[in-house]
Amino acid sequence: MKLNNAIAMAGVTLLVSLPSVRPAQAEQNVVNIAYQLTPSPWVARVADKSFETQTGYTINWRQFNTGAEIISAMASGSIDISVLGSSPLAVAATAGLDIKLFWILEDIASAEALYVRNDSGINKPADLAGKKLAVPFASTSHYQLMYALEQWGIDGQTTVLNLDPNKAAAAWERKDVDGAFIWGAAMARLKLDGKPLVTSGEICQMGRCTFEGMVATTSFAEKNSEFMRQFVGIINAANQDYKSNRSEWGAESDNVKLISNLFGADAETVAEDISNYRYPSLSEQISCSWLGCAAEGGGAKTLKLTADFLKSQGKIGTVLDDYSGFVTDDYLERAE
């Protein structure tokens, strides 16, 4: 999930402007959950109603297009749990929304990457000097691209253009740009005559990670702790099944067909998209790599670093000293 210029500002504005409404969780055993169209093993369990069957809860699944829309819905009280990327989550936390990141759905890994044209003459980072690159500003890709350019010592030596994924792919096809850092279907267009110079996962190893996480309002999580435990258990089981039984997750598999039918997407594309992400294990979730270790944990650090970046881009006005109050591993420790 990405955060462009307008979305970043809208997320903050809507947080403070929306009226308060009665929380959905006031009705016992009902939960409203927001998701976006990111293929992932857990979505197969959404499609086959495993969450309802195993928890006994009535679940209202609501699809959203942007992180800003989800932030607004959570602020209004109409959403209890949501999928949220690290950039919009940093915006929401900075604005003071009382939420908790309780599961890392996906380490973005190779699902986002900086592709360069085969005919661009770019074979190593130093070759980017003097070239034109496209990326959606204030997105997770922009955050990682600017860090990578700095680490490679060529910050300021490239022309970086603010283009959304589809416009970036179109510019690529016109040969108006030499490279683009994007994702999804647009990135698939780049693969036809381009190659990845660096992936999101590789930049994570350099020191700047991005993720898509599962977030809950604090009030819902505290009142429904057993549901939370069961919820992450179902997600974890789906991830483990994917890792252990890859043959059951190909384009012709029932699991992928469930997701492709739910999303209205091509099964081959869904299977490939799932393979581009990395799914942290339960032990990794609890560790300092992600949700553990308070302010020193990877989740809290990523939110802080992302907020620093968004402030430098003029998308938020302040940055908190510590984001660990928006991260918890409480429900994971009881999910084993």
Side-chain angles (χ1 to χ4, degrees):
M1 284 178 287
K2 309 305 176 293
L3 193 68
N4 62 28
N5 296 3
I7 289 172
M9 296 307 294
V12 176
T13 302
L14 287 169
L15 275 172
V16 298
S17 63
L18 279 174
S20 176
V21 300
R22 185 180 180 183
Q25 65 266 24
E27 183 178 349
Q28 187 177 11
N29 295 341
V30 175
V31 55
N32 295 325
I33 303 179
Y35 69 95
Q36 296 192 59
L37 299 181
T38 302
S40 185
W42 80 285
V43 179
R45 305 289 77 85
V46 175
D48 68 11
K49 306 294 184 182
S50 290
F51 287 97
E52 290 87 342
T53 301
Q54 295 185 41
T55 66
Y57 273 57
T58 296
I59 302 178
N60 300 316
W61 299 97
R62 293 182 57 191
Q63 180 191 329
F64 287 79
N65 294 319
T66 69
E69 293 173 353
I70 291 175
I71 291 170
S72 299
M74 296 194 83
S76 74
S78 62
I79 290 295
D80 307 300
I81 294 175
S82 74
V83 174
L84 211 56
S86 47
S87 285
L89 176 53
V91 172
T94 302
L97 188 59
D98 193 10
I99 54 177
K100 294 288 192 297
L101 170 68
F102 66 91
W103 183 264
I104 302 296
L105 278 175
E106 303 109 8
D107 171 349
I108 291 177
S110 57
E112 296 178 22
L114 172 60
Y115 269 75
V116 295
R117 302 183 55 81
N118 288 334
D119 60 3
S120 67
I122 302 171
N123 297 300
K124 58 184 182 299
D127 297 334
L128 292 171
K131 304 295 186 179
K132 292 182 179 179
L133 306 177
V135 67
F137 279 16
S139 66
T140 50
S141 293
H142 187 211
Y143 165 62
Q144 289 196 312
L145 173 63
M146 300 311 292
Y147 176 73
L149 293 176
E150 179 183 352
Q151 292 299 299
W152 291 331
I154 53 174
D155 186 26
Q157 298 181 40
T158 62
T159 300
V160 181
L161 304 175
N162 180 18
L163 297 175
D164 69 33
N166 287 330
K167 290 180 180 178
W172 170 287
E173 290 162 354
R174 294 192 304 268
K175 296 191 176 183
D176 290 343
V177 297
D178 304 293
F181 201 144
I182 52 176
W183 57 86
M187 188 172 76
R189 293 161 63 181
L190 274 55
K191 293 180 180 180
L192 298 176
D193 56 356
K195 58 191 176 185
L197 185 69
V198 68
T199 67
S200 174
E202 290 168 340
I203 297 176
C204 178
Q205 294 176 358
M206 292 166 60
R208 289 296 183 272
C209 298
T210 55
F211 63 80
E212 191 168 65
M214 194 66 78
V215 178
T217 62
T218 301
S219 59
F220 177 86
E222 290 179 348
K223 294 174 183 177
N224 297 270
S225 59
E226 178 60 19
F227 172 85
M228 296 289 292
R229 182 192 67 79
Q230 292 175 316
F231 189 76
V232 297
I234 296 167
I235 299 175
N236 184 56
N239 287 349
Q240 294 309 308
D241 183 61
Y242 174 74
K243 294 176 182 179
S244 302
N245 303 291
R246 295 294 288 270
S247 63
E248 299 298 321
W249 292 85
E252 298 301 318
S253 68
D254 290 340
N255 284 313
V256 168
K257 288 179 180 177
L258 283 167
I259 300 172
S260 63
N261 289 337
L262 180 65
F263 285 179
D266 174 72
E268 290 281 356
T269 301
V270 168
E272 181 178 358
D273 285 349
I274 292 175
S275 70
N276 284 332
Y277 291 95
R278 183 177 177 276
Y279 307 99
S281 66
L282 188 61
S283 61
E284 289 173 322
Q285 299 271 350
I286 298 171
S287 75
C288 294
S289 296
W290 289 114
L291 303 180
C293 301
E296 295 303 311
K301 282 184 174 180
T302 294
L303 294 181
K304 174 67 166 63
L305 291 168
T306 303
D308 286 336
F309 173 73
L310 291 171
K311 185 175 185 295
S312 75
Q313 296 295 308
K315 302 301 176 279
I316 58 177
T318 60
V319 175
L320 305 179
D321 293 332
D322 180 3
Y323 284 79
S324 61
F326 299 93
V327 179
T328 182
D329 61 1
D330 285 352
Y331 308 105
L332 280 68
E333 291 176 345
R334 297 196 292 272
E336 294 180 284

